[in-house]
Amino acid sequence: MKQLTILVPNGYHNLSSVVGSYEVFLKANAFYQSLGRKPVFKITLASTSKTVKLHDNLFAIRPHLQIAAITRTDLIIIPAVRPDFAKSIRQIHTLNHWLIEMHEKGAEIASICTGAFLLASTGLLESKSCSTHWMAADEFRHMFPGVNLGTDKLITDEDGIYTNGGAFSFLNLLLYLVEKYYDRQTAIYCSKIFQVDIDRQSQSPFTIFSTQKKHGDEVVKKAQVHIESKLGEKISMEDLSSKLNVSRRNFDRRFIKATGNTPVEYLQRAKIEAAKKALETSRKNVNEVMYDVGYSDVKAFREVFRKITGMSPLDYRNKYNKEAAI
């Protein structure tokens, strides 16, 4: 039987991803047994403390073992860590050496939501693909510039390291792992029991574009303010960089460093975020919204909208605006 270790770090704040992981793999084991097969995993909750208190001591978890007692495991699940990421990592840095040691011994590791911060602090994500909650993306890029963060992805899988997007999307990661370690039939069974859509690939429809201004580059901030105030107009990046007295090449370089987007990508995301809000809250049709955010080509608007959200403008409107859909 393989060993699954679900970490319960001190200072950790999200009860659902620990309990959810435990419940899903218990159910997968039980289903396997109902088919006359042996359970795949022995499931262990592990920490550096005998008791971990959560949510201002409202809840407490008593792990099965302390991590020092675990010398071998096949799969490790890292739950979300609390939003003060730098402080969280400092508090649980003792886990780093253990995670590295287990990975060197062949363990695969999966991080849930902001658990990617703990995983990245080990260095195991360096130059690898990674996802985390879209709200934490800016801070993650700042802290771990060597990691290839792609917050549109719901799940990443590279060299035995898995990450996922945010919040309750961790259930999709668990189904992905169940299919990998058990089989498709067991993953489908778990998806039906827990009523989770299987095979979801993107968190893009849920992303709210952040204006990303906590970077300290005043030239880029001025460019951002200009872009955001002219969403209904055509903006020439050549003209904008000239107004800001920087070369286009230097403008692009600084913009990417500050925001993680090229100026054109930033403009597209700002326009589409404005379009999303209009589709959610107004009775305007897709063409009216398209013109409001500065597009005149329906095909181009649909392509950019789908690229950023994973949905067509009409599907997005029907999903998030009940009044307009009716």
Side-chain angles (χ1 to χ4, degrees):
M1 187 183 298
K2 294 181 182 294
Q3 174 70 48
L4 166 61
T5 303
I6 302 172
L7 291 185
V8 191
N10 288 320
Y12 156 74
H13 80 110
N14 187 290
L15 183 63
S16 61
S17 56
V18 171
V19 176
S21 299
Y22 188 66
E23 289 288 340
V24 168
F25 281 100
L26 278 180
K27 192 63 69 175
N29 272 349
F31 179 70
Y32 236 48
Q33 286 180 290
S34 74
L35 299 177
R37 304 174 186 174
K38 294 181 180 180
V40 171
F41 282 115
K42 177 184 177 183
I43 307 166
T44 300
L45 270 62
S47 183
T48 54
S49 302
K50 292 182 179 180
T51 302
V52 179
K53 296 180 179 180
L54 314 167
H55 295 290
D56 297 322
N57 298 333
L58 184 60
F59 302 106
I61 295 178
R62 293 186 294 275
H64 299 109
L65 292 172
Q66 294 194 28
I67 62 168
I70 300 175
T71 58
R72 189 199 67 82
T73 189
D74 297 284
L75 176 63
I76 300 165
I77 294 180
I78 303 173
V81 296
R82 65 187 179 189
D84 188 347
F85 303 120
K87 183 178 179 180
S88 294
I89 289 170
R90 288 195 300 272
Q91 287 183 332
I92 54 183
H93 74 279
T94 53
L95 292 173
N96 283 15
H97 296 300
W98 181 81
L99 286 167
I100 293 168
E101 180 186 356
M102 293 301 103
H103 185 62
E104 289 175 348
K105 290 181 177 180
E108 296 196 325
I109 305 176
S111 68
I112 287 173
C113 190
T114 53
F117 282 80
L118 173 55
L119 180 55
S121 71
T122 66
L124 294 173
L125 276 176
E126 196 70 15
S127 299
K128 288 186 172 65
S129 298
C130 173
S131 187
T132 189
H133 198 293
W134 55 264
M135 288 185 71
D138 289 347
E139 190 162 355
F140 188 95
R141 288 190 182 98
H142 176 73
M143 292 178 66
F144 307 106
V147 178
N148 301 322
L149 184 66
T151 50
D152 58 319
K153 296 179 180 178
L154 196 68
I155 297 167
T156 66
D157 174 350
E158 189 172 346
D159 300 329
I161 301 250
Y162 311 90
T163 67
N164 97 286
F168 287 92
S169 72
F170 77 87
L171 292 167
N172 296 96
L173 172 64
L174 298 182
L175 293 180
Y176 182 86
L177 294 172
V178 166
E179 181 170 353
K180 182 163 186 175
Y181 278 94
Y182 296 76
D183 54 29
R184 179 71 173 179
Q185 183 183 9
T186 307
I188 291 173
Y189 174 79
C190 288
S191 78
K192 291 180 177 180
I193 291 295
F194 294 100
Q195 300 189 36
V196 180
D197 287 335
I198 198 167
D199 294 332
R200 231 185 85 208
Q201 300 295 322
S202 175
Q203 63 174 330
S204 295
F206 304 97
T207 301
I208 300 172
F209 178 63
S210 166
T211 54
Q212 307 158 296
K213 294 189 176 75
K214 297 180 180 179
H215 48 68
D217 190 321
E218 292 302 320
V219 169
V220 173
K221 282 184 184 179
K222 289 178 181 178
Q224 290 174 278
V225 170
H226 179 84
I227 288 170
E228 290 158 22
S229 67
K230 307 286 185 181
L231 292 181
E233 304 175 16
K234 289 186 177 181
I235 298 175
S236 165
M237 295 304 166
E238 291 285 354
D239 291 345
L240 181 55
S241 60
S242 178
K243 287 179 182 178
L244 295 169
N245 296 315
V246 292
S247 69
R248 176 62 194 276
R249 182 177 180 181
N250 190 35
F251 179 62
D252 285 359
R253 181 186 61 78
R254 289 172 66 169
F255 211 102
I256 293 169
K257 182 179 179 181
T259 71
N261 294 286
T262 67
V264 171
E265 289 170 342
Y266 190 93
L267 174 62
Q268 288 178 337
R269 288 184 176 274
K271 285 177 178 287
I272 297 305
E273 189 61 32
K276 285 164 57 182
K277 289 177 182 176
L279 292 170
E280 291 167 13
T281 59
S282 76
R283 295 189 64 85
K284 291 182 178 181
N285 63 37
V286 171
N287 281 359
E288 289 173 317
V289 170
M290 175 188 74
Y291 292 128
D292 285 348
V293 297
Y295 282 89
S296 56
D297 185 321
V298 175
K299 183 180 178 182
F301 176 66
R302 286 176 179 166
E303 287 178 352
V304 174
F305 195 98
R306 184 179 289 279
K307 177 184 176 183
I308 290 174
T309 70
M311 303 172 70
S312 72
L314 184 59
D315 287 343
Y316 189 92
R317 178 174 177 262
N318 291 339
K319 185 178 180 67
Y320 291 108
N321 190 331
K322 287 185 178 180
E323 186 178 345
I326 292 171

